[in-house]
Amino acid sequence: MNISIRAPIAGMLLSAFSFAGTSGAQEAENEKLSARERAIVPVAALTAKGDLPGLKIALAEGLDSGMGVNDIKEVLVQMYAYCGFPRSLQGINTFMALLDERRQSGISDKPGSEASPIVSDEAKYERGKRILETLTKRPETGPKTGANAFSPEIDVFLKEHLFADIFERDILSFKEREIATIAALTALGGVEPMLRSHMGMGMNVGVTEAQLRELLSIIEKKAGAKEAADGRKVLAQALGKSKAQGEENSANEYSAFPKGNKASSEYFTGTAWVKILVPQDETKSYSVGDVTFEPGCRNNWHTHDAGQILLVTYGKGFYQEKGKPARALSAGDVVVIPSDVEHWHGAAPDSAFTHIAITNNSPRGAAVWGEKVTDEEYAGATAGK
Ligand code: MN
């Protein structure tokens, strides 16, 4: 028997979760970009590309969608941080010419909002740092790394100028600013790491996965199919990362507790989710976790040096000790597993299964893992029950 000892699982806090009370139709509507957000996408993308005839059309559509002159101007100003003064100024000049033409043909465009004055007396660098923390959801602590360490100047310019001077102007929301940035970087191409991190920041300030897909379909129509295809590859990477981050506390339809993290395929056949509820009690005697097995999933043969107790809370499953028939389990069952007895537990082939596991601690770790439960062993144990 291959024996390996489970690595200690990092302690994680139990947190509450709830279901949103909105209707499906309303959720679908909320998933769409607003008219204003949709208008920002081609303005930013075509400014970044330097496609001035296309930009002129996008700017007119933005005004017609109800954006004020200042609101659109704010997008063009922000663009200088992402594609340089030349592109930004070309965009602003194009916009001025368009406004002149519209004035001459009798269209009166509304001015839009003004930025609120900044009243904080906190240093600009600190203000920028806090805005960046809001966008990334990561604390800006510890020594600077990467480009910010190599060039402390650019660290100051980014924080003081981009994230304080520009982002503090409340004409656009953080969500709208990230939509503009994602559109510009997608159109620009060749800046995948920045695009990926801005997709993450966008999601942190309320841009949904569906809205990012909508943004990319606008890019496809207005700025280019290749740019959109490259953007979709980056989105897949950004989602992989944010899904992994979101799993821990996501709702579990088979348990009152959050889903937790995917269990290691080294010790489980099929998909299981483990939420550690109590990493260790104060006497250091036991730990408590909630485990959900998807249908057909089971853990490897294993032993516990100091036993284990299972409290079954959902579905149908099995517990089997080596050399004995399997015991069928359902909600309400309690399994007391003796020390050093080789066994496995898992779901029935046609049902998900959730149990709380109270595992007594021992110096060798919570479990000593052995071979996988083969399909033949599993079929034999679960047949006819
Ligand atoms: Mn066990």
Side-chain angles (χ1 to χ4, degrees):
M1 180 167 107
N2 290 329
I3 295 279
S4 60
I5 296 173
R6 185 168 74 179
I9 299 169
M12 293 156 195
L13 292 174
L14 173 65
S15 68
F17 66 100
S18 62
F19 294 102
T22 47
S23 73
Q26 195 185 335
E27 268 169 22
E29 201 45 46
N30 291 345
E31 284 285 281
K32 287 191 179 147
L33 293 170
S34 69
R36 188 177 149 100
E37 289 162 350
R38 270 199 305 278
I40 288 173
V41 175
V43 168
L46 298 171
T47 302
K49 283 193 82 161
D51 173 355
L52 302 183
L55 175 61
K56 192 173 168 188
I57 296 167
L59 291 165
E61 286 172 353
L63 291 167
D64 293 338
S65 82
M67 283 185 89
V69 172
N70 289 346
D71 306 357
I72 292 181
K73 191 162 63 181
E74 194 70 18
V75 177
L76 298 172
V77 169
Q78 182 184 320
M79 284 303 101
Y80 100 75
Y82 293 99
C83 47
F85 277 116
R87 290 274 196 251
S88 173
L89 285 167
Q90 291 264 67
I92 287 169
N93 288 330
T94 303
F95 192 37
M96 286 166 63
L98 172 71
L99 290 172
D100 266 345
E101 278 175 30
R102 286 167 68 99
R103 210 173 293 125
Q104 278 161 27
S105 50
I107 302 171
S108 99
D109 289 307
K110 60 174 189 186
S113 24
E114 298 279 345
S116 308
I118 305 300
V119 290
S120 171
D121 51 11
E122 193 184 7
K124 203 183 267 187
Y125 184 85
E126 293 305 314
R127 301 201 317 261
K129 207 158 91 170
R130 268 190 297 100
I131 289 175
L132 183 58
E133 286 174 337
T134 304
L135 298 173
T136 61
K137 288 200 173 163
R138 272 199 309 271
E140 286 290 315
T141 50
K144 294 186 203 17
T145 57
N148 290 345
F150 180 70
S151 167
E153 304 76 13
I154 206 139
D155 173 64
V156 170
F157 295 158
L158 281 164
K159 295 207 173 71
E160 290 194 350
H161 190 43
L162 176 56
F163 293 113
D165 280 338
I166 297 181
F167 270 69
E168 268 185 328
R169 291 170 55 79
D170 55 6
I171 292 179
L172 300 176
S173 67
F174 288 170
K175 183 183 179 191
E176 288 167 339
R177 290 195 183 278
E178 285 306 328
I179 287 170
T181 302
I182 293 163
L185 297 181
T186 306
L188 213 52
V191 289
E192 284 75 17
M194 293 82 202
L195 177 55
R196 182 173 157 171
S197 74
H198 277 282
M199 283 177 169
M201 291 185 218
M203 289 189 267
N204 287 342
V205 294
V207 188
T208 65
E209 179 181 341
Q211 290 171 339
L212 285 171
R213 295 195 189 285
E214 190 183 351
L215 183 158
L216 290 169
S217 68
I218 298 171
I219 295 279
E220 185 169 13
K221 280 187 218 117
K222 310 241 170 163
K226 186 187 183 298
E227 287 82 349
D230 290 347
R232 288 189 180 105
K233 283 182 209 151
V234 178
L235 176 59
Q237 295 165 3
L239 287 171
K241 202 175 163 199
S242 84
K243 274 194 181 137
Q245 283 165 345
E247 259 166 20
E248 168 61 16
N249 290 319
S250 69
N252 182 345
E253 59 183 310
Y254 306 119
S255 174
F257 302 108
K259 204 167 190 180
N261 290 316
K262 221 174 227 180
S264 166
S265 60
E266 211 178 322
Y267 308 132
F268 287 74
T269 302
T271 303
W273 303 88
V274 179
K275 174 72 185 175
I276 303 299
L277 303 176
V278 182
Q280 195 163 71
D281 76 303
E282 66 175 6
T283 68
K284 299 184 171 39
S285 310
Y286 59 84
S287 62
V288 182
D290 193 44
V291 185
T292 296
F293 300 79
E294 293 186 359
C297 173
R298 64 275 182 179
N299 54 25
N300 291 9
W301 290 104
H302 64 281
T303 63
H304 304 284
D305 283 2
Q308 185 180 49
I309 293 161
L310 307 178
L311 308 175
V312 179
T313 55
Y314 179 88
K316 291 189 293 171
F318 290 90
Y319 166 73
Q320 185 179 29
E321 295 179 359
K322 199 109 193 192
K324 295 188 184 173
R327 175 182 163 192
L329 300 171
S330 57
D333 284 335
V334 175
V335 183
V336 179
I337 304 170
S339 304
D340 300 318
V341 168
E342 202 175 354
H343 68 279
W344 64 267
H345 24 120
D350 58 349
S351 170
F353 175 66
T354 305
H355 65 53
I356 291 169
I358 302 168
T359 309
N360 294 322
N361 289 332
S362 84
R364 283 213 293 165
V368 180
W369 294 100
E371 309 278 356
K372 291 208 168 287
V373 172
T374 64
D375 289 346
E376 293 71 31
E377 286 173 317
Y378 179 74
T382 61
K385 298 202 184 181

